[in-house]
């Protein structure tokens, strides 16, 4: 199975499924949903087989495929996956079927084409897989830009309040970032030997000044995509306007392209520039943690609140990446996965609450747990996972980030820890105002608030809860895959883990 073209098949399969779904008659929306769901399950099965086939102690990049595309420019359809990419591909494969199941009635409420909605989700899956699987810089750039299109239409055509404004803002921000990257990609091709192949570019001899400018071009594109402070302002609007399922994919997966791009391209291709820029990146990460957490505390809109929590979490990921230790780097990659699971669950549960109440305003709830106790319990669990409660998966990743950072930069780690305190404030405050306390009499007059989780919704939340708990107690299967790729990335940057202090070694020997 190691010779099977997993990555190209996984990239093309959802695209074929999208075409099939889009051509189904609009008068039979149930068939479109079933076909889309079945197709996403096929991608999940293939991804699981790929995960099993991957050799954690083997080559850094596996499942490599390369096909000619534009020979004149040295562009090829080259795919390959290391441990970091593999984890993100599995996250996509897990989330998309659950999002489709959670979005079963979303398109009907918008009074637009149901088949097109689910076709857009499958197109989005195809482009997300492609961007993580690409091992050619130009191919990566193409997927980076193309994946904006399905998300733009999901927000602009099927979203809620101010959807057109949010869709255009999302598209323009990402497009501007893409222009910075395009300039850097062209410059890299010129100075890197007129090739886009990652394996050749990582060994290219690039002048220090040129490398720093190229690094900045890539970093700006990825910082906007992540998003890092101060390029974050598009996310709360997009998260609020997008359908809950699309928002879960936007924050859970699409935004990870930014942090993945830093790990895959900024650090290995421009190691000196990465070391030079690290203090500024750490500062942006710290500001994002504190600033976004403070803004989250004051939100009255549930989806905007969750969006701001994600900006704070991306600050932690940024700190983990630029601490330049294997422990912090592994924590950052694990955070990318765990954040996708926890925030994906939180967005989906919030979407279920909003669909029942008909409002996203926290002030329109109050005591909802008395009417929908199971849904309220899942919201509480998702909130606890978001604030990294011990026993949940995000705790492991956040702990690794802080511990790995503390070994090399104690002030940064201490300041970042304040984000944990603020996370408890905004999560518990949200839960208390929506599901606890005195019952809001207006809720009893809303038919939707008399319905707790149905079987379909239980099938959506149960796998995510199980994974969050499992990885909270036993993350080894994932960290074994991540560690070799992170160690190789740190070697590319020219960084080694600090030796234990003498006193620590002596204490351990005792």
């Amino acid at each position: 199975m190691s010779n099977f073209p997993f990555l190209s098949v996984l990239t093309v399969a959802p695209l074929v499924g999208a075409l099939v779904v889009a051509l189904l008659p609009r008068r039979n929306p149930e068939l479109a949903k079933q076909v889309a769901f079945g197709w996403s399950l096929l991608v999940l099965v293939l991804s699981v087989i790929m995960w099993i086939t991957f050799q954690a102690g083997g080559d850094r990049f596996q499942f490599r495929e390369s096909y000619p595309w534009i020979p004149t420019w040295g562009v090829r359809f080259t795919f390959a996956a290391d441990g970091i990419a593999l984890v993100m591909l599995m996250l996509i494969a897990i989330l998309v079927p659950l999002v489709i199941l959670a979005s079963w009635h979303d398109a009907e409420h918008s009074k637009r084409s149901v088949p097109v909605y689910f076709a857009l989700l499958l197109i989005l899956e195809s482009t997300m897989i492609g961007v993580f699987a690409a091992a050619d810089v130009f191919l990566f750039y193409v997927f980076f830009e193309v994946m904006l299109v399905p998300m733009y239409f999901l927000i602009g055509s099927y979203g809620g309040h101010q959807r057109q404004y949010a869709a255009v803002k999302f598209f323009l921000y990402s497009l501007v970032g893409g222009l910075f990257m395009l300039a850097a990609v062209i410059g890299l091709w010129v100075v890197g030997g007129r090739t886009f192949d990652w394996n050749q570019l990582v060994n290219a001899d690039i002048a220090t000044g040129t490398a720093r400018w190229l690094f900045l071009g890539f970093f700006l594109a990825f910082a906007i995509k992540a998003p890092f402070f101060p390029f974050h302002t598009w996310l709360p609007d997009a998260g609020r306007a997008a359908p809950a399922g699309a928002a879960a994919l936007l924050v859970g997966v699409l935004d990870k392209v930014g942090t993945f791009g830093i790990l895959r391209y900024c650090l290995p291709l421009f190691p000196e520039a990465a070391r030079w820029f690290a203090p500024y990146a750490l500062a942006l990460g710290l500001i994002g943690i504190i600033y976004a957490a403070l803004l989250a505390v004051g939100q009255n809109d549930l989806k905007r609140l969750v969006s701001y929590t994600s900006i704070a979490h991306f600050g932690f990921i940024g700190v983990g990446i630029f601490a330049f230790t294997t422990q912090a780097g592994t924590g950052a990659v694990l955070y990318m996965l765990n954040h996708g699971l926890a925030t994906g669950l939180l967005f989906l549960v919030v979407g279920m609450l909003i669909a029942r109440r008909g409002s996203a305003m926290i002030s329109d709830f109050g005591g909802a747990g008395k009417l929908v106790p199971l849904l309220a319990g899942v919201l509480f669990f998702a909130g606890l996972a978001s604030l990294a409660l011990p026993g949940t998966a995000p705790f492991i990743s956040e702990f690794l980030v802080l511990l790995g950072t503390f070994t090399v930069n104690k002030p940064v780690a201490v300041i970042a820890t304040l984000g944990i305190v603020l996370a408890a404030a905004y999560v518990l405050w949200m839960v208390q105002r929506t599901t606890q306390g005195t019952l809001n009499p207006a809720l009893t007059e809303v038919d939707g608030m008399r319905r707790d989780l149905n079987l379909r919704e239980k099938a959506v939340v149960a796998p995510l809860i199980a994974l969050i708990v499992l990885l909270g107690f036993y993350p080894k299967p994932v960290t074994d895959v991540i560690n070799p790729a992170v160690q190789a990335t740190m070697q590319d940057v020219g960084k080694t883990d600090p030796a234990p202090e003498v006193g620590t070694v002596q204490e351990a020997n005792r």
Side-chain angles (χ1 to χ4, degrees):
M1 291 299 292
S2 60
N3 295 323
F4 184 80
F6 282 107
L7 298 176
S8 58
V9 171
L10 285 172
T11 303
V12 173
L15 207 56
V16 176
L19 180 62
V20 173
V21 171
L23 293 176
L24 293 174
R26 293 184 61 173
R27 63 180 179 274
N28 194 351
E30 289 301 315
L31 180 61
K33 300 172 187 177
Q34 293 164 6
V35 172
F37 182 63
W39 218 284
S40 66
L41 288 180
L42 173 63
V43 173
L44 175 59
V45 170
L46 284 173
S47 299
V48 170
I49 296 173
M50 181 175 66
W51 178 278
I52 296 171
T53 307
F54 186 85
Q55 298 177 1
D59 295 337
R60 178 178 181 179
F61 290 97
Q62 300 178 34
F63 312 117
R64 184 176 177 85
E65 306 171 47
S66 189
Y67 313 100
W69 185 12
I70 311 175
T72 306
W73 297 350
V75 179
R76 299 178 65 88
F77 279 104
T78 302
F79 298 101
D82 62 356
I84 300 171
L86 184 67
V87 167
M88 297 312 302
L89 292 172
M90 277 304 305
L91 177 62
I92 296 168
I94 291 168
L95 280 183
V96 170
L98 299 178
V99 165
I100 290 175
L101 206 55
S103 307
W104 211 251
H105 300 297
D106 286 1
E108 296 168 3
H109 296 155
S110 69
K111 302 186 185 303
R112 294 179 181 271
S113 171
V114 173
V116 170
Y117 177 81
F118 289 97
L120 286 170
L121 287 177
L122 290 176
I123 293 172
L124 182 62
E125 181 177 28
S126 173
T127 57
M128 291 189 299
I129 291 173
V131 80
F132 287 112
D136 179 280
V137 177
F138 187 81
L139 182 63
F140 172 84
Y141 170 76
V142 171
F143 279 117
F144 183 88
E145 293 289 59
V146 171
M147 72 180 180
L148 303 178
V149 178
M151 183 56 72
Y152 170 81
F153 284 109
L154 284 168
I155 298 173
S157 299
Y158 296 90
H161 181 63
Q162 290 189 323
R163 61 179 181 268
Q164 293 293 341
Y165 168 78
V168 171
K169 188 174 183 180
F170 158 75
F171 195 86
L172 289 179
Y173 265 70
S174 300
L175 191 62
V176 169
L179 291 175
F180 281 112
M181 187 194 292
L182 177 60
V185 166
I186 295 172
L188 183 61
W189 181 79
V190 171
V191 302
R194 297 183 179 272
T195 180
F196 290 109
D197 185 80
W198 188 92
N199 284 328
Q200 297 182 42
L201 289 171
V202 77
N203 296 314
D205 184 17
I206 304 174
T208 299
T210 303
R212 290 182 180 181
W213 281 109
L214 294 176
F215 173 93
L216 189 60
F218 277 98
F219 180 82
L220 285 174
F222 297 142
I224 292 171
K225 178 65 70 179
F228 291 143
F229 176 90
F231 312 105
H232 64 281
T233 59
W234 63 267
L235 181 57
D237 293 322
R240 178 192 183 191
L249 291 177
L250 173 65
V251 175
V253 181
L254 251 74
D255 291 355
K256 305 300 189 308
V257 175
T259 49
F260 172 82
I262 293 173
L263 286 163
R264 171 63 66 82
Y265 296 98
C266 286
L267 303 193
L269 298 183
F270 317 107
E272 188 279 333
R275 296 192 300 269
W276 172 76
F277 192 76
Y280 305 103
L282 289 171
L284 293 179
L286 288 177
I287 295 172
I289 291 171
I290 306 301
Y291 177 73
L294 290 173
L295 288 178
V297 173
Q299 295 302 309
N300 189 41
D301 186 289
L302 279 168
K303 293 169 79 174
R304 285 182 67 90
L305 187 151
V306 178
S307 298
Y308 276 114
T309 67
S310 293
I311 297 170
H313 293 151
F314 275 101
F316 276 105
I317 296 173
V319 168
I321 291 173
F322 285 96
F324 294 143
T325 67
T326 302
Q327 197 170 46
T330 298
V333 177
L334 191 60
Y335 212 135
M336 290 161 62
L337 170 65
N338 293 338
H339 174 265
L341 297 174
T343 304
L345 175 62
L346 189 55
F347 251 120
L348 293 176
V349 174
V350 163
M352 294 172 189
L353 267 176
I354 294 171
R356 284 164 166 77
R357 180 65 178 91
S359 171
M361 295 296 106
I362 296 176
S363 55
D364 289 337
F365 288 86
K370 295 179 173 62
L371 299 177
V372 285
L374 191 55
L375 180 56
V378 177
L379 177 69
F380 184 51
F381 174 84
L384 292 179
S386 181
L387 65 82
L389 183 77
T392 63
F395 169 77
I396 303 295
S397 44
E398 199 164 280
F399 180 76
L400 287 174
V401 166
L402 292 174
L403 189 62
T405 304
F406 189 81
T407 60
V408 293
N409 199 325
K410 293 179 177 60
V412 170
V414 170
I415 296 172
T417 306
L418 295 176
I420 300 176
V421 179
L422 293 173
Y426 59 66
V427 168
L428 296 178
W429 186 237
M430 174 194 70
V431 171
Q432 193 276 332
R433 288 186 292 169
T434 53
T435 62
Q436 305 301 311
T438 305
L439 176 64
N440 182 353
L443 295 181
T444 60
E445 302 174 5
V446 181
D447 291 338
M449 293 304 299
R450 299 192 184 100
R451 293 181 289 104
D452 211 338
L453 291 178
N454 58 36
L455 183 60
R456 174 179 56 82
E457 291 168 330
K458 290 175 183 176
V460 171
V461 302
L464 292 174
I465 293 173
L467 284 170
I468 290 169
V469 173
L470 176 63
L471 294 177
F473 285 94
Y474 189 63
K476 188 176 184 297
V478 177
T479 54
D480 284 349
V481 170
I482 293 172
N483 269 326
V486 172
Q487 289 172 355
T489 302
M490 292 302 108
Q491 291 173 4
D492 291 336
V493 181
K495 287 287 187 176
T496 56
D497 291 335
E501 296 179 6
V502 176
T504 304
V505 174
Q506 291 175 345
E507 188 66 29
N509 291 335
R510 291 176 187 173

